[in-house]
Amino acid sequence: MDGEVGDTATLTPDQRVVPTWTEPLVASASGPVGGPLGTHAAIGRHWFWTPLRVALLLAVIALTIGWFGKAACVQQFYNEDAKQLELDWRSSRPFVAMCYSDIIPLYSAERLNEGGFPYQTSWVDDEGKPTAHTRYMEYPVLTGLFQWVNAKFTEGWLAVANAGWLPTGLPVTIFFDISAFWLALAWLVTVWAVARTARRRPWDAALIAASPLVMVHAFTNFDTLATACAAAGVLAWSRRRPGLAGVLLGIGAAAKLYPLFLLGPLLVLCLRAGRMRAWGRTTLAALLTWALVNLPILLAFPRGWWEFFHRNSLRGADPDSIYNVFVQFADWEGFDGPLAFGQTPFWLNVVSAALFLLCCAGIAFVGLHAPTRPRLAQLGFLVLAAFLLTNKVWSPQYSLWLVPLAVLAVPRWRLLLAWMVVDALIWAPRMAFYLGDDKKGLPIDWFLSFVIVRDLAVIALCVLVIYEIYHPARDLVRQHDQDDPHGGVLDGAEDRVTVRRSSRRERGERRERRDGRDVAVGAVPGQDAG
């Protein structure tokens, strides 16, 4: 059923994108419900089932599947020796059942079960050993406070349950379920924001809602908090509210730093379009919001606040980073060689940062050089993909960051679904690798082979995005002579700064505009419409 969402009801029939007509995958899948939409069908007239509501329903189903996928790791058993209920992680259950979630061990690892305030509470890991060191909450401020609030909800739940009003269980089980509820709500916000942003293609949000990555990683960590803020920020920008967009990106950065990366593509596009005032408002709002959230914790508990940055500087190449691939397959000791405990991998940090900056410089060149100004989602996707590919850490749930921007940047369902399936499937060899050789786990070569395939899939999407930037006629979003429907103040703006020579035709168009013409004869669609 193809309908409209929100303010798209005023679109004419030829402006509505019908997935069962444009996507062979959707056309084939529509067989059990009657096949593709009829030529004379009434679109956007159903009283309830809009694309947004269908996408939200699909998201609820996918999130439910994701919760059941993690449920095996919160099962309990009665320990006869200790005479108490315990979490059933016997026989390496998290890896055998592939249900591992950071949320579960963090409840005790971050001392949330002891009731202390994060960033103030400290503890000693490896006490009594040469590797003993002081620890604090290692997450950004909003994510740390999110965990603490859920721990307090857990205490309240148990208090009411002990009075016989609610079902009870182990505190860690209740903590996980409460956290999962809010994380699921955050992903629903992500779906809602993308559906509202993609005004002419609201059905694309269904691909986000039913993504295999959501089914596997929605509850692996706390990343849906940041995706909700980033997607809502893009929505606010598309509605020409740069200040609100900055506030939302700043809130997202206080939960996970990546939403701030979107300020880079906005800088390039606003510079090209002569809309620097809007970029300034967004950036100022983002930085002020991030500072206002972080400043109280920084002033009250500076050492605890710094832990997130300190721990990340100490991390080596994660198992599924490209650097670890080279270390394993090339029998190489890495940029820094063997490191002592607590030693910072200096050269690894420098190389990963330098590669990311080089990629950003290349993306900026594309943004200023392409014959038609790229769309925000296109450059945003390229920046996030470059960060993940060059970073020394690519935790599996980080792939969720790419999903909303990928759907907005290159809404080709079969290609995106293929990438998401491959990315989600890495979870199986990863869990099998973590079992270890002594428990008949997979060798690391199998796991790294899947990592290489995933990286190649993301690189292929980046190549496709760049191709469509330089060949805008192939861009599915630039239909009906659109410029950037997600671009807000950028949509339809005339180019001011580029790094390419203007053609005689384009120079003629600008002269016509200076003479007072509203629309240049022969204007390039999507570039200088104004």
Side-chain angles (χ1 to χ4, degrees), residues 117-120 296-306:
F117 187 76
Y119 310 105
Q120 179 184 27
I297 302 298
L298 171 60
L299 295 177
F301 316 111
R303 178 61 185 86
W305 179 85
W306 180 250

Side-chain angles (χ1 to χ4, degrees), residues 430-447:
R430 184 187 182 100
M431 293 291 97
F433 163 63
Y434 281 168
L435 272 175
D437 293 336
D438 57 329
K439 296 181 181 178
K440 299 183 179 180
L442 277 179
I444 191 172
D445 292 357
W446 283 81
F447 167 53

Side-chain angles (χ1 to χ4, degrees), residues 200-212:
R200 288 175 171 81
R201 302 184 59 93
W203 279 107
D204 289 340
L207 190 57
I208 301 174
S211 170

